[in-house]
Amino acid sequence: MEIVTTVKEVRDRVKAWKKEGKQVGLVPTMGYLHEGHKSLIDKAVAENDAVVVSVFVNPMQFGPTEDLASYPRDLEADAKLCEAAGASLIFHPEPEEMYKDGFCSFVDMNGLTNALCGLSRPVHFRGVCTVVNKLFNIVQPDKAYFGEKDAQQLAVIKRMVTDLNMDIEIVGCPIIREADGLAKSSRNTYLSPESRKQAVILSKAIFLGKKMVEDGERDAAKIKKAMTDLINTMPLATIDYVEIVDGMTMQSIDTLKGDILCAIAVNIGGEARLIDNFHYTV
Amino acid sequence: MEIVTTVKEVRDRVKAWKKEGKQVGLVPTMGYLHEGHKSLIDKAVAENDAVVVSVFVNPMQFGPTEDLASYPRDLEADAKLCEAAGASLIFHPEPEEMYKDGFCSFVDMNGLTNALCGLSRPVHFRGVCTVVNKLFNIVQPDKAYFGEKDAQQLAVIKRMVTDLNMDIEIVGCPIIREADGLAKSSRNTYLSPESRKQAVILSKAIFLGKKMVEDGERDAAKIKKAMTDLINTMPLATIDYVEIVDGMTMQSIDTLKGDILCAIAVNIGGEARLIDNFHYTV
């Protein structure tokens, strides 16, 4: 498995694969790979002849007060995980390779991004759309793999691909959890031992909400109240949002109907802003 | 030569060509084709094995008070011109095929578009970038052809392709003029006989400006003043802008240096807003 840093190298490798008739998968990541990423890479390796994993902490998707500088990085460990999983190539560009002199274009959307994480992270999805659009154009994969933990991101990327007629299949992969239920995230590493303990409240709230929906509750307010009350039992937890939205449009709903997304964002101990969610079709 | 209306049909045709190893050219147009468009198609036919001409009056690039409804259309004549020029395929989608239910994505930029035509047409370049991005993804051409008459559009599209790593070569083609000098444009058809006569002042001003630069004038203000005074001799002419900018960034300059663009937009008799320009490297 090779690690390359330039767009040209990726293009050359992918063009050679395509000449051989190989199907190409892409797993875009910000690195510091965990079992969640591994599940994406495993699926990509199973479904394609060659797999590119991009490892790029994208400055454009971080707000000015966010954790760009402190975001964890460990390329050596990432490379080991990718190689063991059977990936063909890591694309690990410097920011200067992705955003050259005079760069001023962006991809964004009018819907979907003005809810949930888009409210507390106003520049986030513009950065995500732009970098993912670039990665899609660089790699030109047949399929690209994203985790369902970032539910809004997945919806936004599916929307972008549909709207801009990108000829790529987007594959969503289930959330991978720690033994106690906490969704795997590179940001879990920010948590002190006490915060780590209390962070389990996110998945507990998600499981509670899901149980209520499965038991027939259709009143969004009741479900959100129960989840909110549960999260607030943890003194270190500060809720960003507890929301139930339409799974396609991300717009808030009062009565559960069709494909719904229940999503939460909670700051734990001022150390990490964590997210979790479940989808359900009524 | 075939005319197709769906994205799927274009994709199928292009995929078949690519399997045969054919190089594909794209000429994006809004139809009502004239000699200017024909020069693009001719060049595309000469440089590629198969050429797609898109004919689509893109609602997204027209402002609410602009000429979307009255923009001239004549698909039959367009088809004859394309066939005679040797194009392989016309893509003529309905707006509903390009902008489906829930469409909300867009491509735009922070620079280049906040000058010249971007000032008087604030939504224009977002619409241009978005539709051209879509057409590029639908056709996946090796090369795409644009007229230099729309100088800012050409600069914007080159910027988008560079910034978003689109693997497409953008080819600019020289302005084609009527016998009296007026740049060919589908919008010339809006002009009454008297306005048509006075419209020649655009090219006269461009030729004057170019002569001054060639003769060594480097003071942008002096060139703009001479051009403005000349245009103002025509009672039906109302200047939108007479500008000299950096040819890459579209930012106004005082002293000519490097690659410069001198561009004008003039409304003639309230009937048509026309543009013209010249590039020069000092």
Side-chain angles (χ1 to χ4, degrees):
Chain A
M1 192 203 60
E2 199 184 4
I3 302 178
V4 300
T5 58
T6 66
V7 170
K8 189 182 175 312
E9 287 166 302
V10 179
R11 283 241 169 91
D12 289 348
R13 302 304 181 276
V14 172
K15 279 188 179 163
W17 293 334
K18 294 214 167 168
K19 267 201 179 149
E20 297 167 23
K22 287 185 175 172
Q23 185 173 308
V24 179
L26 169 66
V27 183
T29 83
M30 297 211 300
Y32 214 74
L33 305 178
H34 51 65
E35 290 293 310
H37 299 104
K38 186 174 177 302
S39 74
L40 306 183
I41 301 169
D42 287 343
K43 194 168 173 68
V45 168
E47 295 184 353
N48 298 274
D49 305 308
V51 171
V52 179
V53 178
S54 63
V55 174
F56 179 56
V57 182
N58 173 35
M60 193 174 169
Q61 73 192 63
F62 287 79
T65 62
E66 291 181 358
D67 57 342
L68 173 62
S70 60
Y71 197 87
R73 291 156 168 91
D74 187 344
L75 185 63
E76 207 174 315
D78 292 346
K80 272 185 201 159
L81 186 149
C82 289
E83 177 134 43
S88 319
L89 187 71
I90 288 182
F91 176 42
H92 179 60
E94 292 295 318
E96 296 71 28
E97 175 71 4
M98 293 295 276
Y99 301 110
K100 302 210 174 199
D101 266 1
F103 183 96
C104 63
S105 304
F106 59 85
V107 183
D108 205 346
M109 50 190 68
N110 289 315
L112 275 74
T113 53
N114 43 12
L116 307 179
C117 291
L119 291 175
S120 43
R121 307 188 71 189
V123 302
H124 178 64
F125 286 112
R126 173 173 295 192
V128 168
C129 285
T130 304
V131 80
V132 171
N133 190 288
K134 284 168 64 70
L135 289 168
F136 284 178
N137 287 334
I138 293 166
V139 178
Q140 297 179 34
D142 298 282
K143 296 182 174 190
Y145 298 78
F146 294 86
E148 290 174 357
K149 193 197 55 136
D150 298 289
Q152 188 175 14
Q153 170 177 281
L154 180 57
V156 162
I157 286 166
K158 283 183 175 171
R159 183 85 252 169
M160 175 183 79
V161 164
T162 298
D163 285 354
L164 298 183
N165 304 100
M166 305 191 90
D167 196 10
I168 296 169
E169 184 186 335
I170 303 302
V171 182
C173 302
I175 296 173
I176 305 292
R177 300 183 179 280
E178 303 286 353
D180 67 351
L182 179 67
K184 298 243 183 194
S185 165
S186 307
R187 288 190 169 100
N188 292 347
T189 183
Y190 294 155
L191 299 169
S192 67
E194 181 52 32
S195 294
R196 172 63 190 80
K197 268 187 221 162
Q198 297 198 17
V200 75
I201 203 64
L202 277 97
S203 53
K204 282 196 193 298
I206 288 296
F207 300 153
L208 169 64
K210 192 166 186 193
K211 180 79 171 48
M212 290 176 75
V213 178
E214 286 170 348
D215 289 349
E217 184 58 63
R218 295 293 175 262
D219 183 337
K222 279 190 189 155
I223 301 163
K224 291 192 282 186
K225 167 115 184 23
M227 293 171 69
T228 300
D229 289 348
L230 181 61
I231 296 167
N232 283 336
T233 60
M234 289 295 175
L236 290 178
T238 309
I239 291 175
D240 181 354
Y241 62 78
V242 173
E243 260 299 353
I244 300 180
V245 299
D246 178 279
M248 282 284 284
T249 66
M250 303 289 121
Q251 296 309 297
S252 196
I253 53 174
D254 296 327
T255 305
L256 276 62
K257 204 182 141 187
D259 171 39
I260 67 107
L261 170 70
C262 175
I264 63 179
V266 181
N267 190 299
I268 302 290
E271 294 163 4
R273 180 182 173 282
L274 303 178
I275 58 178
D276 204 341
N277 71 81
F278 68 92
H279 263 284
Y280 194 86
T281 304
V282 176
Chain B
M1 192 203 62
E2 199 184 4
I3 303 178
V4 300
T5 58
T6 66
V7 170
K8 189 184 176 310
E9 287 166 302
V10 179
R11 283 240 169 92
D12 289 348
R13 302 303 180 276
V14 172
K15 279 188 179 163
W17 293 334
K18 294 214 167 166
K19 267 203 179 148
E20 297 168 23
K22 286 184 174 173
Q23 184 173 310
V24 179
L26 169 66
V27 184
T29 82
M30 298 212 299
Y32 214 74
L33 306 178
H34 51 63
E35 291 294 307
H37 300 104
K38 185 174 176 302
S39 74
L40 306 182
I41 302 170
D42 286 344
K43 196 169 172 67
V45 168
E47 295 184 353
N48 299 273
D49 305 307
V51 170
V52 179
V53 179
S54 62
V55 173
F56 179 57
V57 182
N58 173 35
M60 193 174 170
Q61 73 192 65
F62 287 80
T65 63
E66 291 181 357
D67 57 343
L68 172 62
S70 61
Y71 196 86
R73 291 157 167 92
D74 188 344
L75 185 64
E76 207 175 315
D78 292 347
K80 273 184 199 158
L81 186 149
C82 288
E83 178 133 43
S88 319
L89 186 72
I90 289 182
F91 176 42
H92 179 60
E94 292 295 319
E96 296 71 28
E97 175 71 4
M98 293 294 276
Y99 301 110
K100 302 210 174 199
D101 267 1
F103 183 96
C104 63
S105 303
F106 59 85
V107 182
D108 205 345
M109 49 190 67
N110 290 315
L112 275 74
T113 55
N114 43 13
L116 306 180
C117 291
L119 290 175
S120 42
R121 307 189 70 189
V123 301
H124 178 65
F125 286 113
R126 174 174 293 192
V128 168
C129 286
T130 303
V131 80
V132 170
N133 190 287
K134 284 169 64 69
L135 289 167
F136 285 177
N137 287 334
I138 292 166
V139 178
Q140 297 180 33
D142 297 284
K143 295 183 175 189
Y145 298 79
F146 294 86
E148 290 174 356
K149 192 194 59 129
D150 299 289
Q152 188 176 13
Q153 170 178 281
L154 180 57
V156 162
I157 286 166
K158 283 183 174 170
R159 184 84 251 168
M160 175 182 79
V161 164
T162 299
D163 285 354
L164 298 183
N165 304 100
M166 303 191 91
D167 196 11
I168 296 170
E169 184 186 334
I170 302 303
V171 182
C173 301
I175 296 173
I176 305 293
R177 298 182 180 281
E178 304 287 352
D180 68 350
L182 179 67
K184 298 243 183 194
S185 165
S186 307
R187 287 189 169 100
N188 292 348
T189 184
Y190 294 154
L191 299 169
S192 66
E194 181 53 32
S195 293
R196 172 64 189 81
K197 267 187 222 161
Q198 297 199 17
V200 74
I201 204 64
L202 277 97
S203 54
K204 282 196 193 301
I206 288 296
F207 299 152
L208 169 65
K210 192 166 186 193
K211 180 78 169 52
M212 290 176 75
V213 178
E214 286 170 349
D215 288 350
E217 183 59 64
R218 295 293 175 262
D219 183 339
K222 279 189 188 155
I223 302 164
K224 291 193 281 185
K225 167 114 184 24
M227 292 171 68
T228 300
D229 289 348
L230 181 61
I231 296 167
N232 284 335
T233 61
M234 288 296 175
L236 291 177
T238 309
I239 291 174
D240 181 355
Y241 62 78
V242 172
E243 260 299 354
I244 299 180
V245 299
D246 179 280
M248 282 285 284
T249 66
M250 303 289 122
Q251 295 309 297
S252 196
I253 53 173
D254 297 328
T255 305
L256 277 61
K257 204 182 143 187
D259 171 38
I260 68 106
L261 170 69
C262 174
I264 64 178
V266 181
N267 190 299
I268 303 291
E271 294 163 4
R273 180 181 173 283
L274 303 177
I275 58 177
D276 204 341
N277 70 81
F278 70 92
H279 263 283
Y280 194 87
T281 303
V282 176

